[in-house]
Every structure is written in C-alpha cells, then in structure tokens.
Amino acid sequence: MSVPGLRSLFVTREVTLPLIVDDRGTLQVAAADVSKLLRTMGGRWLRLVEAGDQDLDEDTVAALTIELAKLADRIDVACIAHSSGQST
C-alpha cells in the first residue's frame, strides 16, 4: 500500500508502508513505521517552507509539524508502555 507523499511543484514522492494481514484478516502496520511516517511528513513540509515554497504558510506548517510529532510521540510512548506491560 502506498500513501501519497506531499505534492508540490518541486517534490512528488510516495511513502510505502509494509502491510501484514494476520490470520483473522486484520490489517497490521508497525507502529514504528507510522510514527516515522508522521515525522517524515512534517520534516518534508518544513524543508519545502525553508526552500521558499510560496503555496505553504510557515505558521500553519510549523503547527501541523508539531502536532504530527506529538502524535508520533504518543504512539511511541503507548508502544513502549505496552511492551513493558504498563498501561497508559
């Protein structure tokens, strides 16, 4: 499965996530891949702003990047807690 990357005049990329279906047919994606994807998206947006992409508002990109990083952090913390037998 491919997730469309950020589209602009200068950058067109796709990010591919490995998908696994368990024996019950439930779709599984590694949490580390999801948190990495969130951080990568924010980083790409920031680089586009730094490169002068006129279609992106710097304040909006900064706010969205922060929120994506927070979500990635929450996913990571939940996984660490789960793997250590703790609940969040």
Side-chain angles (χ1 to χ4, degrees), residues 8-62:
S8 82
L9 297 174
F10 307 108
V11 177
T12 301
R13 296 192 179 162
E14 289 186 356
V15 176
T16 302
L17 293 176
L19 302 180
I20 300 168
V21 178
D22 67 16
D23 58 348
R24 294 174 293 173
T26 304
L27 186 63
Q28 306 290 318
V29 178
D33 290 338
V34 174
S35 61
K36 180 179 178 181
L37 172 66
L38 295 171
R39 289 187 176 95
T40 300
M41 287 173 52
R44 286 184 181 164
W45 290 342
L46 288 174
R47 284 191 294 281
L48 287 172
V49 168
E50 290 169 356
D53 190 322
Q54 301 299 316
D55 294 333
L56 298 174
D57 177 71
E58 185 175 349
D59 293 335
T60 302
V61 168

Side-chain angles (χ1 to χ4, degrees), residues 3 30 73:
V3 178
D73 289 346

